[in-house]
Amino acid sequence: MLQADKVSLNYQHKPVLQDLSVSIARRQITAIVGPNGSGKSTLLKLLGGLSKPSEGAVSLEQKPLYKWRPKALAKKLALLGQSPLAPSGMLVRQLVGHGRFPYLGLFNTLSHIDQHAITWALRKTQLEHLQNQPLEYLSGGERQRAWLAMALAQQSEILLLDEPTTYLDLGHQFQLLDLLKQLQIHEQKTIVMVLHDINQASQFSDRIIALKNGEIVADGTPQQVVTEQIIKQLFNIDVSVVPQRYGKTTKPLCLPIDSHNQITPNSAVPLRSAAI
Amino acid sequence: MNQSFATHTPLSTKAWPFYVLMMVLTALLISLFIAALCMGSVPLSLNEVWQSLKATAILTSESDILWQLRLPRSVLAMVVGVHFALAGLILQAVIRNPLADPSILGVNGGASLAIVLCLLAVDYVQLHLLKLSDAHFDFVWLPTIALLGGVLATGLVLKLSWRQQLQPNQLALNGVAIGAVLNALVMWAILAWGGNRTETSLIWLAGSLYGRDFSQLYLLLPWTFVGVVGCFLLLRHLAILQLDSEAAQTLGLNVKRWRLVSLFIAVALAASATAVTGPLGFVGLIVPHFAKALLARFGLGASLPHLMIMCILSGAALTLAADIASRTLISPLEIPTGTLTTLMGIPILLLLIRRQS
Ligand SMILES: Nc1ncnc2c1ncn2[C@@H]1O[C@H](COP(=O)(O)OP(=O)(O)OP(=O)(O)O)[C@@H](O)[C@H]1O
Ligand SMILES: [Mg+2]
């Protein structure tokens, strides 16, 4: 339903994305992976309508994004940037409340439904106890969750998230990804996220898009994308890929090969997870 | 997900500290206003003030002082304070910089240059071209001219920043640059051709309420209405504009449009006030910070509706207090009110900031 059709984008004549087409499927979790500067954030912003492609078009439900009224689009699609900024003194709950902006007219204030959505978002991100704290008193991870809560409060069908796990500790990383999974299953959300950890992408997404130098290197299920050749092509490192069971499903797990000691980790006892 | 915080903590937006704060400030403002009517080179008692206010016709010298001088001047001081404070609040939100104030868009520079050039041109035409012995100038026109100058200068700043989507940094840089050029031109014009207008120009530049009456107040009130109502309607958009522009855009805000609308309201407030009193230094910069610090001390978040009310009350109070001081400290002489707003405002601000951290 969200579609980029042969889009290219240049920053000051420097091509960042070239002739790229993706179609995001409804109710799927799609992960975008790739090295730094490969154009992941740029692609996400294009999909979210934050920037216009130099060529090609992005459309949602067959209608080009620029034809959507901004507020109508914001009800369909929420985007959480890589490093958003808020003014000092803003409370967590106020920030999350801004997620309701697309639902408000010029004159009305937050209704019961809005408050409900805000509280729900705060609860899902485990921030209820911090809701009356100014944002600047929060830790990096808590702040990141506050911004996620704002995006959740938008209650849009599509969530576009740029590195949502960056500042989070391991526990919160998994809780967040688990929350996204729940939202996908129980609330029929469509999620597109940029992730750096290939194994998290593999474990939690239905589809992985691998970018390098603004071009799609691979696009498919984790099994299709997380292979030794593609990882080598993307990040120029040697890995060994082993199957790993997560509950009922089996997903590829990739482990870097230590070239000095030539130890290939055993799949049964993974010594190190590859945080790429 | 871990549901350990699922127990619903009710939102404690304690309303009463804010209302208490509001009452205290209102009481302060009313006392200041009464003081402003009583105090001056001719002290009036409360009773005299009351009698004069009740009188329908101006009969006594007391009622003359009150109706012709103190009442319009004090009301004007408060209104102008509100103008600068709200303009500062809006600009700090839109420009996303705590140091933003009306001068950052070239309002002061434009208004000053227009005034000075106008004074000089009228003198020149009358003395040299018409060969009149004594130059005459109708001061009623000054506010309109200043407004025009302020709006033109801001227009230029906006024009220069237009291609960059009115980005805050661009606005601030262009504004500071244009402002510096305009101020340099003002000084040059005064020094080179000031002649017998040097004093008038300098007094206006220092920001003063001397000799202002109801006609200036009437000139200002339509802008007050536009500004206050506009600001109030704008609060939610301003709150979103405070976030960075990408976040604002993803929330469905047309960022460029609302930046422009907000800037227009801020400029209307600042330029019209500057037109009447000259630039009152730092009111627009200090009052929003003062309001924020006050709210923070009472454990309240910086919600914009609260901030707006605080700005209105404390902006009016600060300017009125400065004006009382300007009339009374070295009475019968006057210190320009603009000088005093700066001298009073900065220490208050520094104190609050120190306390806060
Ligand atoms: N506003 C901009 N102006 C100019 N060039 C830009 C701009 N934003 C991004 N670029 C360039 O576009 C390329 C892709 O940037 P992008 O932010 O999409 O990378 P990314 O894949 O998200 O990287 P990272 O993993 O570091 O977040 C980079 O080479 C970057 O230098
Ligand atoms: Mg990025």
Side-chain angles (χ1 to χ4, degrees):
Chain A
M1 64 175 154
L2 184 59
Q3 245 172 330
D5 219 6
K6 298 206 178 86
V7 289
S8 303
L9 193 139
N10 309 328
Y11 280 125
Q12 289 110 30
H13 308 294
K14 180 184 131 195
V16 174
L17 294 179
Q18 293 167 37
D19 198 28
L20 191 147
S21 298
V22 281
S23 167
I24 304 297
R26 209 179 275 269
R27 290 172 208 172
Q28 272 200 350
I29 295 185
T30 306
I32 303 176
V33 301
N36 291 137
S38 55
K40 304 181 296 294
S41 300
T42 309
L43 175 60
L44 204 71
K45 282 180 202 167
L46 269 180
L47 291 175
L50 276 187
S51 47
K52 284 198 187 106
S54 321
E55 275 163 62
V58 183
S59 51
L60 172 64
E61 295 170 357
Q62 323 303 336
K63 185 169 152 189
L65 286 190
Y66 66 87
K67 284 194 182 162
W68 281 79
R69 289 191 44 246
K71 280 193 175 179
L73 187 62
K75 287 183 203 169
K76 286 272 179 193
L77 185 155
L79 188 147
L80 175 59
Q82 200 167 350
S83 42
L85 297 168
S88 70
M90 188 174 276
L91 306 183
V92 172
R93 196 180 172 95
Q94 282 173 348
L95 178 75
V96 179
H98 289 330
R100 302 304 294 170
F101 178 78
Y103 295 88
L104 298 173
L106 195 54
F107 294 102
N108 35 30
T109 49
L110 292 175
S111 70
H112 210 71
I113 298 170
D114 296 319
Q115 297 290 1
H116 205 75
I118 296 167
T119 307
W120 170 81
L122 284 166
R123 189 167 62 236
K124 287 290 181 190
T125 48
Q126 301 180 315
L127 285 171
E128 278 186 308
H129 62 302
L130 293 173
Q131 58 177 306
N132 290 318
Q133 292 281 318
L135 276 174
E136 64 260 35
Y137 293 177
L138 265 54
S139 77
E142 290 163 345
R143 207 171 302 156
Q144 175 126 1
R145 271 148 56 206
W147 280 97
L148 179 71
M150 186 188 91
L152 290 184
Q154 248 172 285
Q155 296 199 317
S156 58
E157 204 180 326
I158 307 172
L159 280 170
L160 306 176
L161 311 170
D162 199 346
E163 300 187 22
T165 54
T166 307
Y167 292 100
L168 306 188
D169 65 48
L170 199 60
H172 278 111
Q173 284 187 21
F174 276 83
Q175 284 173 1
L176 182 135
L177 291 167
D178 193 50
L179 165 65
L180 296 178
K181 195 94 206 167
Q182 279 183 33
L183 291 175
Q184 176 205 12
I185 295 167
H186 299 302
E187 321 232 354
Q188 287 81 45
K189 303 259 188 207
T190 305
I191 295 164
V192 183
M193 59 184 164
V194 174
L195 281 183
H196 272 303
D197 190 322
I198 297 288
N199 289 332
Q200 286 180 351
S202 166
Q203 181 182 351
F204 287 97
S205 57
D206 306 300
R207 172 185 176 192
I208 299 180
I209 299 173
L211 279 187
K212 187 173 187 182
N213 296 331
E215 288 177 87
I216 294 180
V217 171
D219 179 357
T221 61
Q223 284 80 359
Q224 290 166 332
V225 176
V226 184
T227 64
E228 277 142 31
Q229 297 84 341
I230 291 174
I231 301 297
K232 172 85 180 168
Q233 190 186 351
L234 281 176
F235 301 104
N236 201 25
I237 52 162
D238 293 307
V239 293
S240 84
V241 173
V242 294
Q244 170 74 32
R245 283 194 70 80
Y246 299 102
K248 287 192 211 93
T249 58
T250 302
K251 292 285 184 73
L253 176 73
C254 92
L255 303 154
I257 296 169
D258 190 329
S259 56
H260 298 295
N261 295 324
Q262 291 297 327
I263 296 171
T264 309
N266 180 327
S267 71
V269 192
L271 296 174
R272 268 175 291 174
S273 147
I276 297 163
Chain B
M1 192 161 209
N2 186 340
Q3 298 281 322
S4 58
F5 293 107
T7 46
H8 180 83
T9 37
L11 174 64
S12 61
T13 37
K14 292 159 289 177
W16 65 266
F18 176 72
Y19 290 116
V20 171
L21 200 58
M22 205 170 93
M23 302 284 238
V24 170
L25 273 182
T26 311
L28 179 76
L29 187 59
I30 293 172
S31 339
L32 275 173
F33 185 64
I34 295 171
L37 296 182
C38 295
M39 291 164 75
S41 47
V42 180
L44 300 177
S45 71
L46 272 179
N47 192 32
E48 283 168 324
V49 168
W50 180 239
Q51 293 305 329
S52 314
L53 281 182
K54 272 201 308 188
T56 42
I58 294 168
L59 301 168
T60 59
S61 66
E62 284 89 35
S63 63
D64 196 45
I65 290 176
L66 204 71
W67 282 102
Q68 300 298 328
L69 299 174
R70 290 193 193 159
L71 196 59
R73 186 176 171 154
S74 304
V75 174
L76 199 63
M78 293 193 291
V79 172
V80 168
V82 171
H83 275 230
F84 282 121
L86 287 185
L89 180 70
I90 297 175
L91 288 177
Q92 282 171 20
V94 176
I95 306 208
R96 295 170 33 76
N97 186 325
L99 287 178
D101 80 337
S103 66
I104 213 167
L105 289 178
V107 176
N108 294 1
S112 309
L113 188 62
I115 292 271
V116 170
L117 285 184
C118 188
L119 288 173
L120 296 180
V122 167
D123 271 13
Y124 184 82
V125 169
Q126 294 190 337
L127 294 178
H128 296 276
L129 298 183
L130 303 176
K131 305 284 183 212
L132 300 176
S133 57
D134 188 23
H136 166 78
F137 185 75
D138 198 349
F139 285 91
V140 172
W141 285 101
L142 276 188
T144 319
I145 290 160
L147 189 62
L148 219 64
V151 169
L152 278 180
T154 312
L156 184 60
V157 173
L158 293 184
K159 178 86 184 47
L160 288 176
S161 324
W162 188 257
R163 288 266 297 278
Q164 286 89 12
Q165 308 294 315
L166 301 177
Q167 264 173 31
N169 292 345
Q170 285 294 330
L171 276 173
L173 283 175
N174 289 330
V176 169
I178 297 285
V181 170
L182 291 173
N183 284 329
L185 287 177
V186 169
M187 282 305 146
W188 178 53
I190 292 179
L191 290 176
W193 298 306
N196 51 357
R197 290 297 191 196
T198 306
E199 207 184 323
T200 323
S201 312
L202 284 179
I203 288 179
W204 189 86
L205 285 179
S208 169
L209 283 151
Y210 175 74
R212 307 297 196 273
D213 58 27
F214 277 116
S215 66
Q216 270 111 359
L217 185 62
Y218 296 146
L219 189 98
L220 205 54
L221 283 180
W223 295 106
T224 314
F225 180 76
V226 170
V228 173
V229 172
C231 184
F232 180 73
L233 290 180
L234 211 62
L235 286 177
R236 187 171 309 123
H237 297 85
L238 274 183
I240 307 286
L241 281 174
Q242 283 182 310
L243 309 175
D244 60 302
S245 63
E246 275 183 7
Q249 220 178 318
T250 58
L251 290 172
L253 185 79
N254 186 333
V255 174
K256 194 173 177 180
R257 178 198 297 165
W258 288 101
R259 272 193 193 140
L260 190 66
V261 172
S262 319
L263 289 174
F264 172 79
I265 303 236
V267 169
L269 282 165
S272 55
T274 309
V276 173
T277 62
L280 289 187
F282 293 100
V283 175
L285 174 66
I286 291 162
V287 172
H289 286 284
F290 178 80
K292 238 180 236 176
L294 213 58
L295 287 177
R297 273 193 72 72
F298 283 77
L300 296 155
S303 92
L304 277 174
H306 285 183
L307 265 179
M308 181 180 165
I309 294 172
M310 287 291 126
C311 277
I312 289 178
L313 291 173
S314 42
L318 174 70
T319 319
L320 186 57
D323 187 52
I324 297 173
S326 88
R327 292 189 286 121
T328 51
L329 279 184
I330 54 166
S331 158
L333 296 181
E334 288 217 8
I335 307 171
T337 315
T339 312
L340 280 171
T341 51
T342 309
L343 288 179
M344 287 170 59
I346 297 289
I348 296 178
L349 180 68
L350 292 179
L351 199 76
L352 277 166
I353 290 174
R354 269 180 64 129
R355 282 264 179 85
Q356 216 181 346
S357 55

